[in-house]
Amino acid sequence: MTLLYRDRWYGPEQLASDSSWRTNNTTSQDAHPHWNCSGVGTYTYKGYSQHASLESDGVRYTATTSNWQDPGVSRFDC
């Protein structure tokens, strides 16, 4: 699952989301949300993803990624 937000004066606004899953494969499908930000102004954008893999031996691996820890990096004009 992947989520894309932008900061607004009233709180975070969810712009897009996407997810994918596959069984018995070595890769997953495209799970990036796509959003056209042309001409909307300068905002801080944030992304968050959760990842999981259930291996054949029954072990489940999970991870998350986000850019929320570094607030100044994701501020740009669209």
Side-chain angles (χ1 to χ4, degrees), residues 1-30:
M1 170 183 64
T2 303
L3 304 169
L4 176 63
Y5 295 89
R6 72 176 167 187
D7 284 347
R8 301 297 298 255
W9 64 269
Y10 51 81
E13 174 187 18
Q14 185 175 324
L15 301 172
S17 65
D18 203 353
S19 64
S20 69
W21 65 274
R22 295 184 84 175
T23 303
N24 298 323
N25 281 284
T26 57
T27 61
S28 63
Q29 296 170 317
D30 176 10

Side-chain angles (χ1 to χ4, degrees), residues 11-75:
E13 174 187 18
Q14 185 175 324
L15 301 172
S17 65
D18 203 353
S19 64
S20 69
W21 65 274
R22 295 184 84 175
T23 303
N24 298 323
N25 281 284
T26 57
T27 61
S28 63
Q29 296 170 317
D30 176 10
H32 355 355
H34 303 278
W35 180 73
N36 182 359
C37 67
S38 179
V40 300
T42 301
Y43 293 95
T44 298
Y45 294 88
K46 296 179 178 179
Y48 175 81
S49 290
Q50 287 183 318
H51 318 275
S53 174
L54 179 59
E55 301 301 314
S56 59
D57 60 2
V59 176
R60 182 178 179 177
Y61 296 92
T62 60
T64 60
T65 57
S66 74
N67 66 332
W68 295 9
Q69 297 81 13
D70 201 353
V73 170
S74 299
R75 185 164 179 81

